[in-house]
Amino acid sequence: MSEATTEKKNKKINKMTLGELDKAIEATKSSMGGLTSAYAKELLKRKEVLSAKK
């Protein structure tokens, strides 16, 4: 198999679990220098929705 097929695909925000969201938030915070991007805001919004369900 080539490298392209064995690489991990990006997962949609709506399909992520709370743990995956936490990891994505931390990665976004360190790579983008904060949580002001649209992607980061969507991650935080999804985390809030999942936390409310529990």
Side-chain angles (χ1 to χ4, degrees):
M1 295 183 112
S2 68
E3 278 187 43
T5 57
T6 58
E7 281 184 28
K8 204 172 179 185
K9 288 272 191 175
N10 289 337
K11 198 168 188 180
K12 294 192 181 241
I13 293 175
N14 284 340
K15 303 288 182 186
M16 289 184 182
T17 63
L18 271 174
E20 291 170 331
L21 282 168
D22 286 334
K23 288 179 188 175
I25 290 169
E26 288 302 316
T28 303
K29 192 185 299 184
S30 64
S31 67
M32 295 185 183
L35 297 173
T36 58
S37 69
Y39 177 69
K41 289 177 184 176
E42 289 297 320
L43 287 172
L44 292 171
K45 196 184 312 180
R46 180 65 180 163
K47 182 178 178 182
E48 193 176 303
V49 168
L50 288 178
S51 296
K53 286 184 178 180
K54 287 193 169 197

